[in-house]
Amino acid sequence: LLPVRRHQDDDEIQERIEEIRATLNAGLENLALAAGVGRLCRAPAEFAAGHRQAQQALVAAELMHAGGCTIHFDQLGADRLLLELRSNQALRDFVADVIGPLEDYDRLHRSELVSTVSMFIACNGNHVRTAQELHLHRNSLLDRLDRAQKVLGCDLDDSDTRLAVQLALRGRRLLVHAGFDEATFELASQSEQTLDQNRTRKRARHA
C-alpha cells in the first residue's frame, strides 16, 4: 500500500512508484526489478481488489516486459484476459493453432515470418512503416507477407484474422516468458496425438 495525496491522478502515482522502483533497482546487480500498480483505493473494502490488480500488473511487467518497468493495471488492455489464461492449455492450443504454421515454417526455412507479421500488426498494417522498421525494401516485405498468408491460409487484411493473430502473438510472448517455448508447444501437440492414438487403440480392442 502506498499513501497518496487526495488530488494525485494515476499518472502521478505511477511516476512516484517508478521512481521508487528505479531507486531500488539501482542497488541490484544483474536484476530487473518490476512493479505493478492497481487502481486507487478510496476505502478499505477496495483493498483486496486493488491488491489483485497490482499483482496482475506485476505479472505482466515480469512476463511480458521482462521486468525493469512499472505497469499500471489499466495499461494491460487485452493482456488481462491472456494473463488469466496463462496456465490454461486453451491458450497454448490457441497460439499453436493460429501461428503454429508460421513457427514451423520459420524453423524449417530459417525465415522470419513470425517477426515480420508481428511488426506488420504492430504498425497497424502500414506497409511503409513496417518496411522501415524491419529495414526491408517494400517489395521484400510484400513477398514475406504474401508467403505468411499462404502458410496461414488467411488474409491479414481481414480485421478478424488480424485480431486473432495479434492475440496469438501476444499469448506466445507471454508463454515464452512464462517458461513455455516452441518445444513445449510441439510436446503438447505430440501428447495430444499420443492420447488420440491410445483412444483409437482402446476403441479397436472393445470393438
Side-chain angles (χ1 to χ4, degrees):
L1 293 177
L2 179 72
V4 298
R5 295 189 299 274
R6 178 171 296 181
H7 300 295
Q8 277 188 299
D9 59 24
D10 287 339
D11 290 339
E12 291 175 326
I13 295 170
Q14 186 169 348
E15 287 176 6
R16 183 179 175 190
I17 294 175
E18 170 59 20
E19 290 176 0
I20 296 172
R21 185 207 65 80
T23 300
L24 293 173
N25 206 108
L28 301 174
E29 294 184 4
N30 302 320
L31 289 176
L33 189 65
V37 186
R39 289 172 178 161
L40 183 65
C41 298
R42 303 182 185 279
E46 299 175 354
F47 287 172
H51 182 248
R52 287 194 299 271
Q53 293 162 6
Q55 282 184 315
Q56 204 166 21
L58 176 60
V59 171
E62 291 176 333
L63 297 184
M64 305 193 76
H65 299 275
C69 64
T70 298
I71 300 293
H72 193 286
F73 177 76
D74 288 336
Q75 294 175 311
L76 297 182
D79 289 342
R80 286 170 57 182
L81 296 175
L82 296 176
L83 286 164
E84 289 292 337
L85 293 171
R86 70 184 184 277
S87 300
N88 194 311
Q89 181 64 38
L91 179 58
R92 296 193 288 279
D93 290 343
F94 176 74
V95 172
D97 288 345
V98 176
I99 61 172
L102 282 185
E103 294 179 318
D104 293 339
Y105 188 94
D106 279 350
R107 279 194 294 271
L108 287 173
H109 301 275
R110 295 184 179 180
S111 55
E112 299 178 355
L113 296 188
V114 171
S115 59
T116 300
V117 171
S118 180
M119 183 59 71
F120 177 67
I121 290 176
C123 293
N124 295 315
N126 186 309
H127 294 94
V128 175
R129 185 180 164 199
T130 304
Q132 291 174 342
E133 292 291 338
L134 294 175
H135 305 291
L136 291 173
H137 188 279
R138 187 171 182 273
N139 289 340
S140 298
L141 171 66
L142 293 176
D143 286 342
R144 283 193 190 181
L145 292 175
D146 182 62
R147 197 177 316 131
Q149 290 179 118
K150 289 177 180 177
V151 171
L152 291 173
C154 64
D155 181 5
L156 289 174
D157 287 329
D158 178 75
S159 59
D160 288 339
T161 297
R162 196 181 296 177
L163 175 60
V165 173
Q166 182 179 25
L167 288 174
L169 288 167
R170 296 185 73 84
R172 177 181 182 268
R173 184 174 64 176
L174 171 62
L175 292 171
V176 168
H177 284 309
F180 298 100
D181 57 13
E182 288 85 353
T184 306
F185 295 135
E186 291 176 356
L187 179 61
S189 177
Q190 292 169 2
S191 297
E192 288 297 325
Q193 292 175 1
T194 301
L195 287 172
D196 290 339
Q197 291 170 358
N198 290 339
R199 292 190 192 104
T200 301
R201 293 192 189 100
K202 287 180 180 178
R203 292 193 195 101
R205 285 198 299 269
H206 290 295

